[in-house]
Amino acid sequence: MADDTSLLDLVTRYQNAWTSRDFDTASRLVAEDIVFRSPAQHISGAGDFFTMLRGFATRVAPRWQLVSATQTDDGILLLYDLFSEDGEPLACADYFQVAGGRIVGETLVFDAAAFAAAAARPVKARQCANCKAPLPADQPKDNAYCTSCHVAWQ
C-alpha cells in the first residue's frame, strides 16, 4: 500500500468493525477470495469466512486492544488481545495480507485452551453504567445498549 499507516489503518478499521459486530463494514474491507487460516480451520471465500467470523464474534466481548504491530509492503502482523465476556484478555497473533486495498489473507494464531477456558467460565451479569439496570435475560447478546436509558452496557 502507498504509505506506512495504510496497512495499520485498514486492519484497525477491520478489527474495530468485526469486534463491534459491524459485519457490513468489515465485509467492505475484505476481498471476496480471502483465505483464512487458524490452528483449526482453513477457509477460502468471503461467504464462508464471514459465517465463521459471526460465530467467533459471539465467543468474545465486543472490543480488542492492540499490543504491537509490524509490517512489510503487503502485510502486517498484529499482536493484540481480545477479551472474554468476563473481561479476561485473550492473546492473539494475526498476520494480514493486503492487495488492492483489501484484506486477501489472514493467519490467526491463539491459545485454544485459553479460549475454551474463557467459554467455560460463567459470565458475570452485565449492568448499565448509567442506571445500573441488569441486562435482561431475553435481550440479544449483541445489543450493547441499555433498554432503560440507552447508555452502553459494560
Side-chain angles (χ1 to χ4, degrees), residues 21 23-24 27 46-47 49-59:
R21 292 17 174 214
F23 296 105
D24 289 336
S27 68
F49 173 72
F50 279 103
T51 297
M52 176 279 301
L53 192 58
R54 281 183 178 88
F56 182 73
T58 67
R59 298 175 53 199

Side-chain angles (χ1 to χ4, degrees), residues 32-146:
E32 279 299 314
D33 60 349
I34 186 171
V35 175
F36 172 82
R37 294 175 189 86
S38 74
Q41 300 184 65
H42 183 153
I43 298 170
S44 295
D48 289 341
F49 173 72
F50 279 103
T51 297
M52 176 279 301
L53 192 58
R54 281 183 178 88
F56 182 73
T58 67
R59 298 175 53 199
V60 296
R63 68 186 182 108
W64 72 289
Q65 183 174 21
L66 181 64
V67 174
S68 183
T70 188
Q71 65 186 55
T72 63
D73 289 340
D74 63 352
I76 187 165
L77 175 65
L78 300 185
L79 299 177
Y80 61 92
D81 289 325
L82 291 175
F83 294 87
S84 65
E85 284 292 331
D86 63 357
E88 291 297 315
L90 301 164
C92 299
D94 213 341
Y95 181 71
F96 296 90
Q97 293 173 284
V98 176
R102 291 185 177 226
I103 297 167
V104 297
E106 180 179 357
T107 303
L108 172 65
V109 179
F110 58 89
D111 182 349
F115 274 81
R121 287 192 296 270
V123 177
K124 297 182 284 190
R126 293 186 292 172
Q127 66 179 14
C128 176
N130 185 49
C131 71
K132 305 300 182 202
L135 175 66
D138 61 343
Q139 183 172 347
K141 195 173 183 180
D142 61 350
N143 183 345
Y145 295 91
C146 177

